[in-house]
Amino acid sequence: SHTGGSMNNDDERVSDNSTFTHTLLFYMIGFVASAMVGFGLFKLFQDYFYGEGLNQAFPSLALFIGSLIIGFFISDLILKKIKL
């Protein structure tokens, strides 16, 4: 007896996110979005980056890590939206 689905219905399909194109686009969009977010946040909070020692290192590290997280989250949302 046949128990499998036909896979012709959109709700039965599972997207394959392991393709080379998907991975390449994920990283490209992620790095571009991270750079844009990082630049925007730097311009917005630029007075916080003029200090010495940890007063300069912590905001820079927070900006770098935060922009990477936000950028790759945006990349994931974009790729889910276009279903690639």
Side-chain angles (χ1 to χ4, degrees):
S1 68
H2 181 68
T3 59
S6 66
M7 296 300 289
N8 289 331
N9 298 331
D10 287 337
D11 60 341
E12 292 179 346
R13 291 186 184 158
V14 177
S15 64
D16 182 19
N17 294 339
S18 64
T19 62
F20 178 73
T21 305
H22 183 271
T23 304
L24 185 66
L25 281 175
F26 176 74
Y27 283 109
M28 286 175 55
I29 294 170
F31 283 123
V32 169
S34 295
M36 289 172 31
V37 167
F39 182 75
L41 288 176
F42 177 76
K43 281 301 200 185
L44 189 62
F45 299 107
Q46 126 181 16
D47 294 337
Y48 290 96
F49 295 97
Y50 299 107
E52 294 181 7
L54 286 178
N55 290 336
Q56 185 179 18
F58 180 71
S60 298
L61 186 63
L63 173 73
F64 180 71
I65 292 174
S67 64
L68 280 176
I69 290 170
I70 293 169
F72 282 99
F73 179 73
I74 290 170
S75 175
D76 189 44
L77 288 178
I78 290 172
L79 290 175
K80 283 182 181 176
K81 188 70 173 173
I82 62 173
K83 296 178 183 176
L84 183 66

